[in-house]
Amino acid sequence: MGAGSSVTPRDDMHLVIVGGGYGGSYFAVQMIKSGLCKVTLIDGRDAMFHSIGALRTVVDEDYFKYLCIPYDQMVGDSFTQGEVSNLDTASKTLTLKDGKTVNYTHLVIASGSRSGFPSKVAVDASTEEVKRLYDEYRKEVVAAKRVLMIGGGAVGVELAGEIKTEFPDKEVTIVSSSEFLVTTRTKSAFQKNIKESLRKKNVTVILGDRVSNLDDLTLNKHVEGQVVKTTGGKELTADLVVPCTGITVNNQFFKQALAGALTEHGALEVNEYFQVKGHEKIYAMGDVTNVNEEKMAYTAKIHADLIKSNLLAEAGGKTKKAYQGARVAMVVPVGRTGGAGQFMGMQLGDFAVKMFKAEDLFAKSIWSDLGMKLPQ
Ligand SMILES: Cc1cc2nc3c(=O)[nH]c(=O)nc-3n(C[C@H](O)[C@H](O)[C@H](O)COP(=O)(O)OP(=O)(O)OC[C@H]3O[C@@H](n4cnc5c(N)ncnc54)[C@H](O)[C@@H]3O)c2cc1C
């Protein structure tokens, strides 16, 4: 039992968490600390991928040491490595790709989302593989004089900023079909600030125009002089074209079993306690849910805190709390020197963004939240 805890351990409870991203890892650490029950964290990787730092690693080899947070050091024997391939809700069994099975009494689905490299990596990519991927990709970036991002969400903007900060002589362009950068959930002052931040770095931004010859392009590889065409009639030349076009829910293993709770986008419908529709003992958190808010590590952690306190409340016969939603906190670095942010109704400029996030991309706080010592 956790030190100083008044929780009565439940020997009949086995809490299994699928997905050790920002939500699942933090939740596992907290639940182990609580001493309530046996906890198993399952992930296909050997280490949590700190995706917030992924784009810095594209230009800075040194950042790699913060990128992969080893599960064995984080949760010890409570970790099982393997990609979950099936869920059977009748027998309460998960099957892993290697055939191994894990039974649960309570299940938390925190399998998150995927997006193209270099913002995320495969569910089964080892730390060694992740290092190799970024080392190789850095060479593609170094070789390209002209880099073009397809998509002006947070990933397109941040990657443009990282490349321009490290390599000011490269031509960097963002093409976005949306008229908004990052997300429509931000105020016009944020839009103005982020555009100004990109302008100061000499990033070319084309909004409200769509790449029309995607199928003809070689993506994520240095190919001298590719012509990127847009529906607005532009022809742009780039030596590296990077897709930065949004996220897809990781739902393969529960698609069938939880078909009745899937939204049209494949996310899981949850109630105000994060219980999956129609399943009292199955919870979901983070990017995999249909909660109508920005998909963020920050909100995944708030979901985790709520599920934890409700499991403890339930065990102690106390009243559960309903989710009240999270306020938008959007801080987008444009390289390590600044960017734009919107936080608790305030607009943040270069200095605040640099101090709050841009310098270390939350490496210190993420490692520390997981009870880990930051590598030197
Ligand atoms: C470049 C970038 C910058 C970002 N910056 C910020 C930021 O500054 N602040 C912020 O709050 N958010 C930020 N985000 C968003 C944030 O990363 C996501 O919202 C967050 O990762 C969601 O956390 P999660 O726990 O739901 O899932 P994830 O972090 O996606 O983790 C899911 C985990 O599940 C595992 N998994 C999936 N399927 C299976 C399976 N079948 N079997 C076993 N394991 C499985 C995966 O391996 C992974 O470890 C950023 C994202 C990117 C890409």
Side-chain angles (χ1 to χ4, degrees):
M1 197 190 306
S5 166
S6 58
V7 169
T8 308
R10 288 202 31 200
D11 297 339
D12 59 342
M13 183 171 170
H14 183 199
L15 176 66
V16 177
I17 304 152
V18 179
Y22 292 103
S25 290
Y26 172 74
F27 182 67
V29 168
Q30 293 301 316
M31 287 309 298
I32 292 166
K33 232 192 240 173
S34 81
L36 177 67
C37 60
K38 181 179 171 190
V39 176
T40 299
L41 173 66
I42 306 176
D43 202 290
R45 303 188 187 121
D46 56 359
M48 177 185 142
F49 183 68
H50 167 41
S51 51
I52 299 173
L55 305 175
R56 176 71 45 83
T57 315
V58 166
V59 298
D60 178 3
E61 189 182 351
D62 238 26
Y63 196 90
F64 177 78
K65 61 178 180 280
Y66 305 135
L67 200 63
C68 299
I69 311 175
Y71 292 120
D72 57 350
Q73 289 174 39
M74 188 198 295
V75 295
D77 291 344
S78 297
F79 178 62
T80 294
Q81 188 174 357
E83 189 176 339
V84 177
S85 55
N86 192 53
L87 163 65
D88 181 343
T89 55
S91 63
K92 298 188 176 172
T93 307
L94 293 159
T95 305
L96 311 191
K97 252 189 169 170
D98 63 6
K100 194 173 164 185
T101 56
V102 179
N103 289 95
Y104 64 87
T105 61
H106 295 66
L107 175 65
V108 174
I109 299 177
S111 52
S113 62
R114 58 186 182 279
S115 55
F117 189 79
S119 59
K120 285 205 170 181
V121 293
V123 166
D124 60 354
S126 67
T127 298
E128 203 181 320
E129 168 77 350
V130 173
K131 170 137 182 52
R132 189 187 61 73
L133 286 170
Y134 282 91
D135 284 348
E136 282 177 6
Y137 197 68
R138 210 170 297 117
K139 290 183 200 150
E140 308 286 343
V141 173
V142 168
K145 284 203 289 292
R146 296 156 294 191
V147 185
L148 185 141
M149 265 38 94
I150 303 178
V155 171
V157 169
E158 287 194 29
L159 185 57
E162 293 294 344
I163 294 175
K164 259 307 205 182
T165 305
E166 198 64 29
F167 308 104
D169 293 340
K170 292 192 192 297
E171 280 175 32
V172 174
T173 304
I174 298 173
V175 180
S176 168
S177 58
S178 168
E179 293 286 352
F180 291 85
L181 285 169
V182 182
T183 165
T184 52
R185 284 193 174 94
T186 51
K187 298 217 158 81
S188 57
F190 173 89
Q191 291 296 319
K192 192 167 152 255
N193 291 344
I194 196 76
K195 281 178 196 159
E196 178 56 15
S197 211
L198 289 164
R199 192 198 58 75
K200 280 194 277 186
K201 295 265 180 200
N202 283 322
V203 174
T204 303
V205 178
I206 299 169
L207 298 178
D209 204 354
R210 189 180 286 275
V211 171
S212 57
N213 64 335
L214 194 60
D215 291 345
D216 304 335
L217 299 170
T218 304
L219 303 173
N220 275 333
K221 266 221 146 329
H222 170 239
V223 176
E224 195 80 18
Q226 292 201 77
V227 177
V228 178
K229 297 181 181 169
T230 72
T231 47
K234 291 193 173 59
E235 294 205 352
L236 309 155
T237 310
D239 313 315
L240 179 65
V241 180
V242 188
C244 308
T245 46
I247 60 173
T248 309
V249 174
N250 284 328
N251 60 11
Q252 299 87 332
F253 78 91
F254 58 76
K255 240 179 167 169
Q256 265 193 324
L258 302 178
L262 284 192
T263 67
E264 62 174 316
H265 300 297
L268 276 174
E269 195 176 332
V270 291
N271 65 13
E272 65 272 38
Y273 305 108
F274 293 101
Q275 285 160 311
V276 172
K277 186 182 168 193
H279 299 268
E280 203 194 333
K281 304 288 185 213
I282 304 182
Y283 297 77
M285 64 169 73
D287 281 13
V288 79
T289 67
N290 73 330
V291 180
N292 185 15
E293 62 191 6
E294 207 57 39
K295 297 299 175 211
M296 298 186 77
Y298 156 81
T299 46
K301 190 179 158 191
I302 298 175
H303 302 173
D305 274 329
L306 191 90
I307 298 173
K308 177 199 151 192
S309 57
N310 282 342
L311 285 173
L312 293 175
E314 205 171 68
K318 297 197 179 118
T319 313
K320 296 195 297 184
K321 278 194 210 126
Y323 186 55
Q324 303 295 329
R327 298 181 74 169
V328 175
M330 185 58 65
V331 182
V332 182
V334 176
R336 61 183 81 227
T337 52
Q342 183 175 304
F343 185 58
M344 311 267 282
M346 289 181 304
Q347 295 300 319
L348 310 181
D350 283 328
F351 182 71
V353 172
K354 176 174 180 233
M355 298 315 286
F356 185 67
K357 176 175 173 188
E359 269 183 341
D360 87 329
L361 300 174
F362 298 141
K364 214 183 282 169
S365 60
I366 298 287
W367 280 71
S368 147
D369 273 350
L370 298 169
M372 303 279 291
K373 202 164 164 268
L374 193 70
Q376 293 306 309

